[in-house]
Amino acid sequence: MRIFKKTKQKTTNKQETTTTQRRGASQWAVGWRRFKRNKAGLAGLFIVLFYIFIALTSQWLAPYPPRSYLPLYQGEAGQPPSWKHPFGTSKAGLDVFSEVLHGARGDLYVGVGATAVSVLIGLVIGAIAGYLRGGAGDFILMITQVFYTIPLLPLILLFARVFMILVAQGFGLTLILLLLGFFGWSTISFVVRGEILRIRELEFVKASQALGASRWRIIFHHIVPNTLTPVIITASLLIAGNILTEVVISFLGFGDANTSTWGITIQEGITYMRTEWWTPVFPGLATLFAVLGFNLLGDGLSDALNPRLRD
Amino acid sequence: MEPLLDVKGLKTYFFTEAGIVKAVDGVDFKVEKDETVGLVGESGSGKTVTSLSIMRIVPQPGRILAGSIMFEGEDLLAKSEDEMRKIRGAKIAMTFQDPTTSLNPLYTIGSQLAEVIREHNKDLSKKQVTEQVIKLLEMVRISEPELRIKAYPHELSGGMKQRIAIARALACGPSLLFADEPTTNLDVTVQAQVLSLLKDLRQKEKMSLVMITHDMGIVAEVTQRVQVLYAGMVAEVADTRSLFKKPSHPYTEALLQAVPRIDQRKDLKVIPGNIPNLIDPPSGCRFHPRCPYAQEICTKKVPPLEVTDNGHLVACHFWRNLSLAGA
Amino acid sequence: MANLTIYVIRRLLFMIPVFLGVSILTFIISNAAGDPIALIRQGLRSVSPEVLEALKAYYHVNEPLHIRYLYWLWDLLHFNLGRSLSGSPVINIITPLILPTLMLQIPSIILAVAIGVPIGIYSALHQYSKKDVSITTIALFGYSMPTFWLGLMMIIVFSLYLGWFPSGGAAGITKIWWGSEFADRIAHLIMPLSVLTYVQFATFVRLMRGNMLQILREDYILAARSCGLKERTVIYKHALRNAITPIVTILGLGFGSSLAGAPGLETAFNWPGLGYKFVQATFSLDIPLIVGITVIITIMLMIANIITDLFYGLIDPRVRLG
Ligand SMILES: Nc1ncnc2c1ncn2[C@@H]1O[C@H](COP(=O)(O)OP(=O)(O)OP(=O)(O)O)[C@@H](O)[C@H]1O
Ligand SMILES: [Mg+2]
C-alpha cells in the first residue's frame, strides 16, 4: 500500500536516492553549486589549475631549458636566491626556479598519467569483480586485496632499477609512470566494485532489470554514471599520492636523470644542504603545494558529489 | 481537558550549505491523552523533523526558530537541556524509521535497554535492571528474552530490531510515543505483528501514540485522528473516519485516491508532480503547483487554517466550494 | 566466538596470497634477464666468482623456470635467503637492520594514534571552529608532504643551522649530548621519529575526524539522545566506540604503508635500517639482498595485519563471515 516511491528510509540517504535517479546534467550542476561553496575545494581546484598551467607552459616561462648546467656552471653556480635566480642556483649550475617549473611538467605527467593507467586497469578489474559472482569474482577481489596490501614502494624501486638496466634507456619518466600505474589500481578497483554492488541492489535498477532492460543499458545508464563520481574523487587523491611517490623515487635516484622533476632536484641539493638550503627547499615546497592541491580538490569533490559523506 | 501535547507555530529550519531548508514551517499539532494520532504526508513533508523538534533533538544544522511546545502544561522550549533530558525517554519517547540503523551495532541489545532504564532510575540494582529488561522483551513478544539479551543488533531480524526499538522507547513508561514509520522496512506479515503490538501496548500502557506514516491503510486501522502535513505545513486535521469519508483538502483527497482498494477496481493514482524543494518553496499555498483545483489566489496567498462545518481544520482557500471524494 | 575464529583463520589464510604475490613479483623481476645471475652481472658491482657459483646453486639456474621458482620459494619459506653479493648470508645482513627500522616505525605509530585520535575527535566535535580549521590544516600539510623532504628540512634547521641534533645515523662516535651513549641514541632518534609521527598523526587525525562526523549523523546517535541519555554518554560511549573501531583496521595498513615508505625516510636520515639498505642494495643490483629485504618487510607487514585483524575481531561484534 505504499503510495510513494521510496527506496531508502534514512533521512541522510534521501539525497542519495535522488542523485542516483536523477543524474546527468542537473546532477553535475548541483554538484558544481555545492563545490563552489566549499572554499577548501575551490582553493584546491585553483592550485591544480595553476600547476597545470605551469606544466603546459614551463618551456616558455622558465628562463633556462631543463637540466641545463652549462650556462651557469662557471660563475653563477651555488648562488642564493636573487632577482636573477629567484630560487637560487645549485652547486652544479642548475637554475632552481627553472627546474621547479620544468618539474611541474615531469611530475604532473607522471602523477596524472599513472593515475590514468590505474583508472583504466581499476575500472576493468573492479567491474569484473563486481559483476562476477562466486569463485571468479572472489579470486579477482583477492588479487585486488593483494595489490592493496603489498609494500609498493620497494617493489616499484626494484622494478624501476631492473627495467632501467634492461630495456628502458630513453624510456625516461614513462617507465615510472607505467610502474606506478600498474601497481596502484587497487583503490580504484575497490571503489568501482563497491559502487557496482551497491547500485545493483538499488530498487530502480532491480526494477529495470525486471522490466527486461538489457545488460548494456543498465551498465551505461545506471552503473557508469554512478561509478564516475567516486572514481573521479579517488583519482584526484591518487594523483596526489602518485606525485608523492614519484618524488621519493626520483629523490632516491631511480628516476630519469635527463628529465627535470622535483625529486631529482632535491636529490642534487642534499650534498650541499648545509650551505645551499635553497636547492632542496623549493622543489619540496612545489611538491607540497601540488599534492595539497590535489588532496583539497579530491576532498572538495567528495563533499560536493558524494551524498553519503555530506551533512 | 487540556491536551497532552499542544504545539503551536513550530518552525524548524535546516541551515545547510545549499540554503535554508524550511522543513517545518509553522505547524500546529495536538495530541490528547490516550489517543492515537496519525501524522501523514509524503516523504520529505516534515513528519520526522516535527517529532525530533518536539523532543528537541533536531540534528545539526537544524534549529527550532519559533513556536511553543506545551507538554503536560509546561513549555518544552523553555526547559533547560538537563530538564529536557529527563523528559526524553521517560515521558516522551520515539522509535526511528529504520530499525537497522537506530540500534548501536557495537553493544548488545540488553545493554542498550539497561542503559536507558538506569539513566532514568538511578537507584535500581543491577539485578532489578536485568529483570526489567527481560520484562520489556517479553512485553514486545520476543521469545527467549534471557538469551536475546546477549544478542547484538546484527544478529536479529528487522522485525525483531523494530520490537527492540519499541521496547527501548517504552522502557520508562512514557506517556507519549512517536512511532516513526514503524512498519516501512518490514515484511507484510511482520508489519501486521508490529502494528498489533503497538495497538495493544498503547492500550495497556495508557499512553498516547503518534503514528508517523505515509500508509493510509495503517492510518485507517490504528488512528483516531489524522494530521496531514504537506511540505512542512499543515494541510488538514480531522477525525480519521470523517477524513476518509469526506476530505476537505485537495491533497488529502489525492492521498486517499492513491490508496488501492480491493473492492473497487480503480487504478492506483499517483499524485502527479514532486514534493517541492523546501529551500525555495512555492509561493502562496505550497500545494498549488500540483493541485487540480488551483486558482489565481492560491499562487499568491497562504491559506489560513480554518474550521470546516464538519469539524476539520483545513488550510485551503476553496474548502467551501469543493466537494472532494473520500476513500 | 566461533565466528571470530573463522574470521581470524580467513584473515590468516589471506596472508598466503599476499606472500605468494610478493614472491611472484620479485621472482619475475629477478629473472627478467633470463635468470638472476645474468641480471646481477649487469649491475655495477664486481662479484667474486665464488659467490656467483654459490648463487648459481642457490637459484638452480640450470633448471626450468617454474622448477626454479619452487626451489626458491621452498628456500624462502625456510628463511634461506641466499648470499648477498658481498658474500655474507642475506639473513645475517638483514637481522641487525630490523630493530632500527622498528625503532622508528612502532613508536611513531603508537604516538600518532595516541595524539591523533583524541585531536581528531576534538576537531569533529568542534567542526568549523577556529581550532578545527587549524587542526585540519596542520593535518592537511602532514599528509601532503614527502616524508623524507620534511626530514631534510628538519636536518637543515635543527642540525645544520642550530646544531641541536645530529644530522643522521642512529648513533655517533662523538656523543653530542653529555657524552652519554643512551642520550646519544635518543638524540639521533628524535628527528626521524618526530617526522614520521607527524606524518602518521596527520592521517589519523583526518580519519578520526571524518569517522566521528559521519557517526554523529547516524540514527543510533539520535536514538540514544531520544532516550534521554547524557550527551557525554552519547558521544563518549556510543559515537566514540563506533568511530574508533575502523581506526584499528587502518593501523595495520598505516604501519604497512609507513614501512613501505622507509626507504625515503631512512635515506634522508642515513638511518641504518631496512629501507636504507634496500636502496643501496637496489643500486648495486644485489638481487638476493633486495629480495630478502622485500620479503622481510612483507612478513612484518603481514604480522601487523594479523594483529590488527585479531584486535578488530575482538572489538567489533559484527565481524563474521563476509
Ligand atoms: N539533517 C538534515 N539536514 C538538512 N535537511 C534535512 C535534515 N533532516 C531533514 N531535512 C529536510 O527536512 C525535510 C523534512 O524531512 P523529514 O525527514 O521530516 O521528512 P519525512 O516527512 O519524515 O519524510 P520521510 O517519509 O521520508 O521520512 C526534508 O526536505 C529533508 O530534506
Ligand atoms: Mg521521516
Side-chain angles (χ1 to χ4, degrees), chain A residues 41-91:
Chain A
L42 219 51
L45 179 66
F46 182 78
I47 296 175
V48 166
L49 289 177
F50 176 73
Y51 271 94
I52 292 177
F53 172 76
I54 300 277
L56 293 178
T57 56
S58 68
Q59 65 210 82
W60 300 289
L61 286 183
Y64 297 89
R67 318 296 297 159
S68 52
Y69 299 91
L70 290 179
L72 302 176
Y73 182 64
Q74 280 158 349
E76 288 186 56
Q79 286 189 349
S82 63
W83 283 113
K84 185 160 184 224
H85 304 291
F87 294 172
T89 57
S90 78
K91 197 71 159 187

Short mmCIF file of all heavy atoms in Angstrom, two decimals, chain A residues 41-91:
data_model
loop_
_atom_site.label_atom_id
_atom_site.label_comp_id
_atom_site.label_asym_id
_atom_site.label_seq_id
_atom_site.Cartn_x
_atom_site.Cartn_y
_atom_site.Cartn_z
N GLY A 41 37.88 23.25 -1.26
CA GLY A 41 37.86 22.56 -2.54
C GLY A 41 38.18 23.51 -3.68
O GLY A 41 38.94 23.18 -4.61
N LEU A 42 37.64 24.70 -3.58
CA LEU A 42 37.87 25.71 -4.61
C LEU A 42 39.34 26.09 -4.66
O LEU A 42 39.94 26.22 -5.73
CB LEU A 42 37.01 26.93 -4.31
CG LEU A 42 36.36 27.63 -5.48
CD1 LEU A 42 35.62 26.65 -6.35
CD2 LEU A 42 35.41 28.71 -4.97
N ALA A 43 39.93 26.24 -3.47
CA ALA A 43 41.36 26.53 -3.40
C ALA A 43 42.14 25.41 -4.07
O ALA A 43 43.08 25.67 -4.84
CB ALA A 43 41.80 26.70 -1.95
N GLY A 44 41.74 24.18 -3.81
CA GLY A 44 42.39 23.03 -4.43
C GLY A 44 42.31 23.11 -5.94
O GLY A 44 43.31 22.94 -6.64
N LEU A 45 41.12 23.40 -6.43
CA LEU A 45 40.94 23.50 -7.88
C LEU A 45 41.84 24.57 -8.46
O LEU A 45 42.51 24.38 -9.49
CB LEU A 45 39.47 23.81 -8.20
CG LEU A 45 39.16 23.96 -9.68
CD1 LEU A 45 39.34 22.63 -10.39
CD2 LEU A 45 37.73 24.47 -9.88
N PHE A 46 41.90 25.69 -7.76
CA PHE A 46 42.71 26.80 -8.22
C PHE A 46 44.18 26.39 -8.29
O PHE A 46 44.87 26.62 -9.28
CB PHE A 46 42.51 27.99 -7.28
CG PHE A 46 43.28 29.20 -7.69
CD1 PHE A 46 42.82 30.00 -8.74
CD2 PHE A 46 44.46 29.54 -7.05
CE1 PHE A 46 43.54 31.11 -9.13
CE2 PHE A 46 45.17 30.65 -7.43
CZ PHE A 46 44.72 31.44 -8.47
N ILE A 47 44.65 25.74 -7.22
CA ILE A 47 46.05 25.31 -7.19
C ILE A 47 46.33 24.34 -8.33
O ILE A 47 47.32 24.46 -9.06
CB ILE A 47 46.37 24.64 -5.84
CG1 ILE A 47 46.23 25.65 -4.70
CG2 ILE A 47 47.78 24.05 -5.85
CD1 ILE A 47 46.41 25.06 -3.33
N VAL A 48 45.42 23.38 -8.51
CA VAL A 48 45.62 22.38 -9.55
C VAL A 48 45.68 23.04 -10.93
O VAL A 48 46.57 22.76 -11.74
CB VAL A 48 44.51 21.32 -9.48
CG1 VAL A 48 44.50 20.47 -10.74
CG2 VAL A 48 44.70 20.44 -8.26
N LEU A 49 44.74 23.96 -11.17
CA LEU A 49 44.75 24.65 -12.47
C LEU A 49 46.04 25.43 -12.66
O LEU A 49 46.63 25.44 -13.75
CB LEU A 49 43.54 25.59 -12.58
CG LEU A 49 42.20 24.88 -12.73
CD1 LEU A 49 41.06 25.89 -12.75
CD2 LEU A 49 42.18 24.02 -13.98
N PHE A 50 46.50 26.05 -11.58
CA PHE A 50 47.74 26.80 -11.64
C PHE A 50 48.90 25.89 -12.04
O PHE A 50 49.69 26.21 -12.94
CB PHE A 50 47.99 27.45 -10.28
CG PHE A 50 49.28 28.18 -10.17
CD1 PHE A 50 49.46 29.41 -10.81
CD2 PHE A 50 50.34 27.67 -9.42
CE1 PHE A 50 50.67 30.09 -10.72
CE2 PHE A 50 51.54 28.34 -9.32
CZ PHE A 50 51.70 29.55 -9.96
N TYR A 51 48.99 24.75 -11.40
CA TYR A 51 50.07 23.81 -11.72
C TYR A 51 49.95 23.30 -13.15
O TYR A 51 50.95 23.13 -13.84
CB TYR A 51 50.06 22.63 -10.74
CG TYR A 51 50.90 22.89 -9.51
CD1 TYR A 51 50.34 23.40 -8.36
CD2 TYR A 51 52.27 22.60 -9.51
CE1 TYR A 51 51.10 23.64 -7.23
CE2 TYR A 51 53.04 22.84 -8.39
CZ TYR A 51 52.45 23.36 -7.25
OH TYR A 51 53.22 23.60 -6.15
N ILE A 52 48.72 23.04 -13.57
CA ILE A 52 48.56 22.56 -14.94
C ILE A 52 49.04 23.62 -15.92
O ILE A 52 49.74 23.34 -16.90
CB ILE A 52 47.08 22.18 -15.21
CG1 ILE A 52 46.71 20.95 -14.39
CG2 ILE A 52 46.84 21.91 -16.69
CD1 ILE A 52 45.27 20.53 -14.50
N PHE A 53 48.70 24.85 -15.62
CA PHE A 53 49.15 25.95 -16.46
C PHE A 53 50.67 25.98 -16.53
O PHE A 53 51.27 26.06 -17.61
CB PHE A 53 48.59 27.27 -15.91
CG PHE A 53 49.14 28.48 -16.59
CD1 PHE A 53 48.69 28.84 -17.87
CD2 PHE A 53 50.10 29.27 -15.98
CE1 PHE A 53 49.21 29.95 -18.51
CE2 PHE A 53 50.62 30.39 -16.60
CZ PHE A 53 50.17 30.74 -17.87
N ILE A 54 51.32 25.90 -15.36
CA ILE A 54 52.78 25.91 -15.32
C ILE A 54 53.34 24.75 -16.14
O ILE A 54 54.26 24.91 -16.95
CB ILE A 54 53.27 25.77 -13.86
CG1 ILE A 54 52.77 26.92 -13.00
CG2 ILE A 54 54.80 25.65 -13.82
CD1 ILE A 54 53.58 28.15 -13.09
N ALA A 55 52.74 23.58 -15.94
CA ALA A 55 53.26 22.39 -16.62
C ALA A 55 53.18 22.56 -18.13
O ALA A 55 54.10 22.17 -18.86
CB ALA A 55 52.49 21.16 -16.17
N LEU A 56 52.09 23.16 -18.59
CA LEU A 56 51.91 23.29 -20.03
C LEU A 56 52.81 24.37 -20.63
O LEU A 56 53.16 24.32 -21.80
CB LEU A 56 50.45 23.61 -20.36
CG LEU A 56 49.45 22.48 -20.05
CD1 LEU A 56 48.03 22.93 -20.36
CD2 LEU A 56 49.81 21.24 -20.85
N THR A 57 53.16 25.36 -19.81
CA THR A 57 53.89 26.50 -20.39
C THR A 57 55.32 26.61 -19.90
O THR A 57 56.00 27.59 -20.20
CB THR A 57 53.17 27.81 -20.04
OG1 THR A 57 53.03 27.88 -18.63
CG2 THR A 57 51.80 27.88 -20.68
N SER A 58 55.79 25.59 -19.12
CA SER A 58 57.10 25.75 -18.49
C SER A 58 58.19 26.05 -19.51
O SER A 58 59.11 26.82 -19.24
CB SER A 58 57.45 24.50 -17.68
OG SER A 58 57.67 23.42 -18.54
N GLN A 59 58.08 25.49 -20.71
CA GLN A 59 59.17 25.71 -21.66
C GLN A 59 59.31 27.17 -22.06
O GLN A 59 60.38 27.60 -22.44
CB GLN A 59 58.99 24.81 -22.89
CG GLN A 59 57.77 25.14 -23.70
CD GLN A 59 57.26 23.88 -24.38
OE1 GLN A 59 56.54 23.08 -23.80
NE2 GLN A 59 57.64 23.70 -25.64
N TRP A 60 58.19 27.91 -21.95
CA TRP A 60 58.29 29.35 -22.25
C TRP A 60 58.50 30.19 -21.00
O TRP A 60 59.12 31.23 -21.04
CB TRP A 60 57.03 29.84 -22.98
CG TRP A 60 56.86 29.11 -24.27
CD1 TRP A 60 57.62 29.24 -25.40
CD2 TRP A 60 55.88 28.11 -24.57
NE1 TRP A 60 57.19 28.40 -26.38
CE2 TRP A 60 56.12 27.69 -25.91
CE3 TRP A 60 54.83 27.52 -23.84
CZ2 TRP A 60 55.34 26.71 -26.51
CZ3 TRP A 60 54.07 26.56 -24.46
CH2 TRP A 60 54.31 26.15 -25.77
N LEU A 61 57.94 29.72 -19.90
CA LEU A 61 58.04 30.50 -18.66
C LEU A 61 59.44 30.45 -18.06
O LEU A 61 59.95 31.43 -17.56
CB LEU A 61 57.06 29.96 -17.62
CG LEU A 61 55.58 30.25 -17.81
CD1 LEU A 61 54.80 29.70 -16.63
CD2 LEU A 61 55.36 31.76 -17.91
N ALA A 62 60.07 29.26 -18.14
CA ALA A 62 61.33 29.08 -17.43
C ALA A 62 62.45 29.81 -18.14
O ALA A 62 62.56 29.75 -19.37
CB ALA A 62 61.65 27.59 -17.32
N PRO A 63 63.28 30.53 -17.38
CA PRO A 63 64.39 31.26 -18.00
C PRO A 63 65.43 30.34 -18.62
O PRO A 63 66.14 30.75 -19.54
CB PRO A 63 64.99 32.06 -16.85
CG PRO A 63 64.27 31.66 -15.61
CD PRO A 63 63.12 30.81 -15.96
N TYR A 64 65.58 29.10 -18.12
CA TYR A 64 66.60 28.21 -18.68
C TYR A 64 65.94 26.90 -19.10
O TYR A 64 64.96 26.48 -18.48
CB TYR A 64 67.69 27.92 -17.65
CG TYR A 64 68.45 29.16 -17.26
CD1 TYR A 64 68.02 29.95 -16.20
CD2 TYR A 64 69.60 29.55 -17.98
CE1 TYR A 64 68.69 31.10 -15.85
CE2 TYR A 64 70.27 30.71 -17.63
CZ TYR A 64 69.82 31.49 -16.57
OH TYR A 64 70.48 32.62 -16.24
N PRO A 65 66.48 26.26 -20.12
CA PRO A 65 65.92 24.96 -20.52
C PRO A 65 66.16 23.91 -19.43
O PRO A 65 67.01 24.10 -18.56
CB PRO A 65 66.68 24.62 -21.81
CG PRO A 65 67.86 25.50 -21.82
CD PRO A 65 67.57 26.69 -20.98
N PRO A 66 65.44 22.80 -19.48
CA PRO A 66 65.58 21.79 -18.44
C PRO A 66 66.98 21.19 -18.39
O PRO A 66 67.62 21.02 -19.44
CB PRO A 66 64.54 20.72 -18.82
CG PRO A 66 64.04 21.07 -20.17
CD PRO A 66 64.35 22.50 -20.43
N ARG A 67 67.41 20.88 -17.21
CA ARG A 67 68.71 20.22 -16.95
C ARG A 67 69.86 20.91 -17.68
O ARG A 67 70.74 20.23 -18.20
CB ARG A 67 68.69 18.73 -17.37
CG ARG A 67 67.45 17.95 -17.03
CD ARG A 67 67.19 17.82 -15.57
NE ARG A 67 68.20 17.10 -14.83
CZ ARG A 67 68.35 17.23 -13.51
NH1 ARG A 67 67.60 18.07 -12.83
NH2 ARG A 67 69.23 16.54 -12.88
N SER A 68 69.89 22.22 -17.71
CA SER A 68 71.00 22.89 -18.40
C SER A 68 71.99 23.41 -17.37
O SER A 68 71.79 24.44 -16.76
CB SER A 68 70.47 24.03 -19.26
OG SER A 68 69.66 24.88 -18.49
N TYR A 69 73.04 22.63 -17.17
CA TYR A 69 74.05 23.01 -16.18
C TYR A 69 75.02 24.02 -16.76
O TYR A 69 75.52 24.88 -16.08
CB TYR A 69 74.88 21.79 -15.76
CG TYR A 69 74.08 20.69 -15.12
CD1 TYR A 69 73.53 19.67 -15.87
CD2 TYR A 69 73.91 20.69 -13.74
CE1 TYR A 69 72.82 18.66 -15.26
CE2 TYR A 69 73.19 19.68 -13.14
CZ TYR A 69 72.65 18.66 -13.90
OH TYR A 69 71.94 17.67 -13.31
N LEU A 70 75.27 23.88 -18.06
CA LEU A 70 76.43 24.55 -18.61
C LEU A 70 76.43 26.07 -18.52
O LEU A 70 77.42 26.65 -18.09
CB LEU A 70 76.65 24.10 -20.06
CG LEU A 70 77.13 22.64 -20.11
CD1 LEU A 70 77.33 22.18 -21.55
CD2 LEU A 70 78.43 22.50 -19.30
N PRO A 71 75.32 26.73 -18.86
CA PRO A 71 75.39 28.19 -18.90
C PRO A 71 75.78 28.79 -17.55
O PRO A 71 76.39 29.86 -17.50
CB PRO A 71 73.96 28.62 -19.27
CG PRO A 71 73.25 27.40 -19.70
CD PRO A 71 74.02 26.22 -19.29
N LEU A 72 75.46 28.13 -16.46
CA LEU A 72 75.72 28.73 -15.17
C LEU A 72 76.90 28.10 -14.44
O LEU A 72 77.29 28.54 -13.38
CB LEU A 72 74.47 28.58 -14.28
CG LEU A 72 73.19 29.21 -14.85
CD1 LEU A 72 72.03 28.92 -13.93
CD2 LEU A 72 73.38 30.70 -15.03
N TYR A 73 77.40 27.01 -15.01
CA TYR A 73 78.37 26.24 -14.25
C TYR A 73 79.53 27.09 -13.78
O TYR A 73 80.02 26.97 -12.67
CB TYR A 73 78.88 25.05 -15.08
CG TYR A 73 79.84 24.22 -14.31
CD1 TYR A 73 79.41 23.53 -13.16
CD2 TYR A 73 81.18 24.13 -14.67
CE1 TYR A 73 80.29 22.78 -12.42
CE2 TYR A 73 82.07 23.37 -13.93
CZ TYR A 73 81.61 22.69 -12.80
OH TYR A 73 82.48 21.96 -12.06
N GLN A 74 79.95 27.98 -14.68
CA GLN A 74 81.04 28.85 -14.25
C GLN A 74 80.49 30.19 -13.82
O GLN A 74 79.72 30.81 -14.54
CB GLN A 74 82.05 29.04 -15.39
CG GLN A 74 82.96 27.86 -15.46
CD GLN A 74 83.60 27.71 -16.81
OE1 GLN A 74 83.20 28.37 -17.76
NE2 GLN A 74 84.58 26.84 -16.88
N GLY A 75 80.81 30.56 -12.61
CA GLY A 75 80.44 31.90 -12.15
C GLY A 75 79.15 31.97 -11.39
O GLY A 75 79.11 32.56 -10.32
N GLU A 76 78.09 31.35 -11.88
CA GLU A 76 76.82 31.57 -11.20
C GLU A 76 76.29 30.34 -10.48
O GLU A 76 75.13 30.28 -10.12
CB GLU A 76 75.78 32.05 -12.22
CG GLU A 76 76.04 33.47 -12.67
CD GLU A 76 74.94 34.00 -13.57
OE1 GLU A 76 73.78 33.98 -13.16
OE2 GLU A 76 75.25 34.39 -14.71
N ALA A 77 77.11 29.31 -10.28
CA ALA A 77 76.65 28.12 -9.57
C ALA A 77 76.63 28.38 -8.07
O ALA A 77 77.41 29.16 -7.55
CB ALA A 77 77.54 26.94 -9.89
N GLY A 78 75.71 27.71 -7.38
CA GLY A 78 75.66 27.76 -5.92
C GLY A 78 75.33 29.12 -5.36
O GLY A 78 75.80 29.48 -4.29
N GLN A 79 74.51 29.89 -6.06
CA GLN A 79 74.16 31.22 -5.56
C GLN A 79 72.83 31.21 -4.83
O GLN A 79 71.91 30.50 -5.23
CB GLN A 79 74.07 32.19 -6.73
CG GLN A 79 75.43 32.55 -7.26
CD GLN A 79 75.34 33.68 -8.26
OE1 GLN A 79 74.24 34.03 -8.69
NE2 GLN A 79 76.48 34.22 -8.62
N PRO A 80 72.71 32.00 -3.80
CA PRO A 80 71.43 32.09 -3.08
C PRO A 80 70.39 32.81 -3.94
O PRO A 80 70.73 33.43 -4.93
CB PRO A 80 71.79 32.92 -1.84
CG PRO A 80 73.00 33.68 -2.21
CD PRO A 80 73.75 32.84 -3.20
N PRO A 81 69.11 32.70 -3.54
CA PRO A 81 68.05 33.36 -4.31
C PRO A 81 68.35 34.83 -4.54
O PRO A 81 68.86 35.52 -3.66
CB PRO A 81 66.83 33.20 -3.40
CG PRO A 81 67.11 31.97 -2.62
CD PRO A 81 68.59 31.94 -2.41
N SER A 82 68.06 35.28 -5.75
CA SER A 82 68.31 36.67 -6.11
C SER A 82 67.27 37.04 -7.16
O SER A 82 66.46 36.19 -7.55
CB SER A 82 69.71 36.81 -6.71
OG SER A 82 69.76 36.03 -7.89
N TRP A 83 67.29 38.26 -7.64
CA TRP A 83 66.33 38.63 -8.69
C TRP A 83 66.54 37.80 -9.94
O TRP A 83 65.61 37.39 -10.60
CB TRP A 83 66.42 40.12 -9.02
CG TRP A 83 65.75 40.93 -7.97
CD1 TRP A 83 66.34 41.79 -7.09
CD2 TRP A 83 64.35 40.91 -7.66
NE1 TRP A 83 65.40 42.31 -6.25
CE2 TRP A 83 64.17 41.81 -6.57
CE3 TRP A 83 63.23 40.24 -8.17
CZ2 TRP A 83 62.92 42.05 -5.99
CZ3 TRP A 83 62.00 40.48 -7.61
CH2 TRP A 83 61.84 41.37 -6.54
N LYS A 84 67.81 37.56 -10.24
CA LYS A 84 68.09 36.82 -11.46
C LYS A 84 67.71 35.35 -11.30
O LYS A 84 67.18 34.73 -12.22
CB LYS A 84 69.57 36.95 -11.82
CG LYS A 84 69.86 36.28 -13.14
CD LYS A 84 71.15 36.78 -13.76
CE LYS A 84 71.33 36.14 -15.13
NZ LYS A 84 72.69 35.68 -15.34
N HIS A 85 67.99 34.81 -10.12
CA HIS A 85 67.67 33.40 -9.86
C HIS A 85 66.80 33.34 -8.60
O HIS A 85 67.31 33.17 -7.50
CB HIS A 85 68.94 32.59 -9.63
CG HIS A 85 69.91 32.69 -10.76
ND1 HIS A 85 69.66 32.14 -11.99
CD2 HIS A 85 71.11 33.31 -10.84
CE1 HIS A 85 70.67 32.40 -12.79
NE2 HIS A 85 71.56 33.12 -12.13
N PRO A 86 65.47 33.49 -8.78
CA PRO A 86 64.59 33.63 -7.60
C PRO A 86 64.74 32.50 -6.60
O PRO A 86 64.58 32.70 -5.41
CB PRO A 86 63.19 33.61 -8.21
CG PRO A 86 63.34 33.79 -9.66
CD PRO A 86 64.75 33.49 -10.04
N PHE A 87 65.02 31.28 -7.06
CA PHE A 87 65.17 30.17 -6.12
C PHE A 87 66.62 29.75 -5.97
O PHE A 87 66.94 28.68 -5.48
CB PHE A 87 64.35 28.94 -6.58
CG PHE A 87 62.86 29.14 -6.57
CD1 PHE A 87 62.01 28.19 -7.12
CD2 PHE A 87 62.28 30.27 -5.99
CE1 PHE A 87 60.63 28.36 -7.10
CE2 PHE A 87 60.90 30.45 -5.98
CZ PHE A 87 60.07 29.49 -6.53
N GLY A 88 67.55 30.61 -6.43
CA GLY A 88 68.96 30.29 -6.30
C GLY A 88 69.44 29.36 -7.41
O GLY A 88 68.67 28.96 -8.29
N THR A 89 70.73 29.01 -7.34
CA THR A 89 71.26 28.03 -8.30
C THR A 89 71.96 26.93 -7.54
O THR A 89 72.45 27.14 -6.42
CB THR A 89 72.28 28.68 -9.26
OG1 THR A 89 73.33 29.25 -8.47
CG2 THR A 89 71.65 29.74 -10.12
N SER A 90 72.00 25.75 -8.14
CA SER A 90 72.62 24.62 -7.45
C SER A 90 74.12 24.62 -7.68
O SER A 90 74.63 25.32 -8.55
CB SER A 90 72.03 23.30 -7.95
OG SER A 90 72.60 22.97 -9.19
N LYS A 91 74.81 23.85 -6.88
CA LYS A 91 76.26 23.76 -6.98
C LYS A 91 76.69 23.40 -8.40
O LYS A 91 77.65 23.93 -8.93
CB LYS A 91 76.76 22.67 -6.02
CG LYS A 91 78.24 22.75 -5.73
CD LYS A 91 78.48 23.95 -4.88
CE LYS A 91 79.73 23.96 -4.09
NZ LYS A 91 79.70 25.15 -3.19
#
